[in-house]
Amino acid sequence: MVREKITVSTRTLQWKCVESRTDSKRLYYGRFILSPLMKGQADTIGISIRRALLGEIEGTCITRVKSENVSHEYSTIAGIQESVHEILMNLKEIVLRSNLYGTCDASICVRGPGYVTAQDIVLPPYVEIVDNTQHIASLTEPIDLCIGLQIERNRGYLIKTTQNFQDGSYPIDAVFMPVRNANHSIHSYGNGNEKQEILFLEIWTNGSLTPKEALHEASRTLINLFIPFLDMEEENSHLENNQHMLPLSPFTFHEKLAKLIKKKKEIALKSIFIDQSELPPRIYNCLKRSNIYTLFDLLNNSQEDLMKMEHLRIEDVKQILVILEKHLAIFFIEK
């Protein structure tokens, strides 16, 4: 067994990527460490982050196939080597990457003879294929293969049921999990009361996210889940009693941020993400495509900046202001 020499901080809590490799287009590996931790903390973090990595990160999959010329899932089509079931299983293996919110449509329309692969799928611009070489079907005769696809972004598993079948439409079991596996281990060092721990994390992904991106997403998800516990009961009560006194001010976002800083309100704006703010999916996607992920990012843009964003209208900016009033009104109450 070869022992590695890893330098860790002895005072400040830090993380580091100690190994990163790409085994194939659909298999990435990363190993990370976090230290120094007090006794027991490594297990607390390791268990939580592993569960978030495996169950909370969203992925993108093909969830339904539609073709009017197919009588049932286990039928065969003249001129196609694979059965319909085999084609569905091949489509299930395609790995997609997107910033999609909800579902969208794609299609395949190919004339044989020849091989149909993932690169023949016509996709929306915000969806891409990780491995274009994935085989779908073999056309042995000069026939047309035209099918419609439904693509969805979600988390966990989506299991098809008999109720999901419609005429000419066939659901596919979807595994939305970008993380294929995750392990954590602990190394302890020191003696007595000075004993400390190093947390090792190993992450394997399907290529739609790098292990580093997956670790970031999992950490953000855990932060979002715990933020409600940080709200003080008296602040919530104070907000409810004064909601009728909070008019929507026509301030620019820069002025709002300046007022927050001036009042020295203790809130981690960088840890509050816009997906917590009940924004409509279209507005949420517009902001996300402009690299706006947190309320800090949002407040750091002026109204003019928002109006320049593609597909964002004046009505949308007004709606964003209303959402901000709802979530940040506590910071504009005059004491």
Side-chain angles (χ1 to χ4, degrees):
M1 179 178 178
V2 178
R3 291 186 177 273
E4 299 178 68
K5 184 178 180 180
I6 298 175
T7 304
V8 298
S9 171
T10 58
R11 294 183 179 180
T12 307
L13 187 63
Q14 294 179 347
W15 75 277
K16 181 188 296 185
C17 178
V18 295
E19 186 178 356
S20 178
R21 68 172 186 262
T22 302
D23 294 330
S24 68
K25 288 183 178 180
R26 290 185 284 175
L27 184 59
Y28 288 21
Y29 171 80
R31 190 155 68 106
F32 308 87
I33 61 172
L34 179 67
S35 69
L37 295 164
M38 297 174 63
K39 185 178 179 180
Q41 289 182 337
D43 225 10
T44 300
I45 298 173
I47 293 172
S48 300
I49 203 72
R50 183 178 184 273
R51 290 182 65 89
L53 284 165
L54 293 174
E56 299 296 333
I57 301 179
E58 292 186 344
T60 306
C61 294
I62 297 172
T63 56
R64 188 176 290 274
V65 178
K66 185 173 183 179
S67 176
E68 297 178 355
N69 300 323
V70 178
S71 56
H72 58 83
E73 180 182 355
Y74 296 98
S75 63
T76 58
I77 302 175
I80 300 181
Q81 183 174 315
E82 292 82 1
S83 66
V84 173
H85 178 73
E86 290 173 323
I87 293 175
L88 294 178
M89 292 303 98
N90 290 336
L91 289 169
K92 178 181 176 180
E93 294 299 317
I94 294 174
V95 178
L96 301 172
R97 177 169 46 228
S98 79
N99 60 359
L100 173 69
Y101 188 94
T103 63
C104 69
D105 295 324
S107 63
I108 300 174
C109 194
V110 180
R111 183 167 181 79
Y115 295 105
V116 182
T117 63
Q119 68 178 355
D120 296 309
I121 301 177
V122 180
L123 293 165
Y126 43 85
V127 180
E128 60 179 298
I129 298 172
V130 171
D131 183 5
N132 283 323
T133 64
Q134 169 65 40
H135 179 75
I136 297 175
S138 303
L139 306 186
T140 58
E141 298 179 13
I143 63 169
D144 292 323
L145 175 65
C146 292
I147 56 178
L149 307 174
Q150 178 181 283
I151 295 173
E152 182 177 345
R153 183 177 174 86
N154 211 321
R155 65 183 183 90
Y157 297 95
L158 178 65
I159 307 300
K160 64 182 180 183
T161 63
T162 53
Q163 288 82 9
N164 287 336
F165 286 84
Q166 301 172 2
D167 293 339
S169 180
Y170 302 92
I172 301 176
D173 290 341
V175 181
F176 294 105
M177 300 159 52
V179 177
R180 292 306 186 211
N181 196 13
N183 292 327
H184 84 277
S185 58
I186 301 167
H187 172 71
S188 300
Y189 62 97
N191 296 309
N193 294 333
E194 296 182 359
K195 199 167 187 178
Q196 294 180 313
E197 297 177 340
I198 304 173
L199 173 64
F200 288 82
L201 286 169
E202 291 184 291
I203 302 171
W204 291 262
T205 69
N206 64 1
S208 62
L209 289 177
T210 66
K212 183 178 178 181
E213 290 171 334
L215 185 57
H216 177 269
E217 288 291 323
S219 302
R220 191 181 77 169
T221 299
L222 287 175
I223 291 171
N224 287 344
L225 290 173
F226 285 113
I227 277 179
F229 294 112
L230 300 178
D231 293 338
M232 300 300 291
E233 183 177 351
E234 58 268 22
E235 288 186 347
N236 290 335
S237 176
H238 190 47
L239 175 58
E240 291 172 2
N241 294 335
N242 290 276
Q243 280 182 340
H244 64 282
M245 300 172 59
L246 301 170
L248 178 60
S249 304
F251 293 147
T252 63
F253 284 74
H254 279 299
E255 288 170 335
K256 286 178 179 283
L257 181 59
K259 193 165 186 178
L260 283 175
I261 295 173
K262 183 178 180 181
K263 291 195 171 190
K264 298 180 180 179
K265 299 294 185 179
E266 296 181 359
I267 179 171
L269 290 174
K270 291 183 179 180
S271 297
I272 302 179
F273 295 86
I274 60 173
D275 53 8
Q276 297 175 257
S277 57
E278 303 172 5
L279 286 169
R282 187 179 61 79
I283 299 178
Y284 171 79
N285 283 328
C286 288
L287 295 175
K288 193 173 179 181
R289 282 195 291 269
S290 299
N291 296 319
I292 296 177
Y293 300 100
T294 67
L295 290 188
F296 183 85
D297 298 333
L298 185 56
L299 289 167
N300 210 25
N301 284 268
S302 66
Q303 295 180 36
E304 291 74 17
D305 294 333
L306 293 176
M307 288 302 300
K308 292 177 183 178
M309 294 179 187
E310 188 176 6
H311 306 308
L312 209 60
R313 304 167 299 189
I314 183 64
E315 293 81 7
D316 300 329
V317 175
K318 291 179 180 178
Q319 192 167 359
I320 291 172
L321 285 170
V322 172
I323 294 294
L324 278 174
E325 181 192 35
K326 176 180 177 181
H327 287 270
L328 296 178
I330 185 68
F331 302 106
F332 299 98
I333 297 174
E334 297 293 336
K335 301 273 184 162

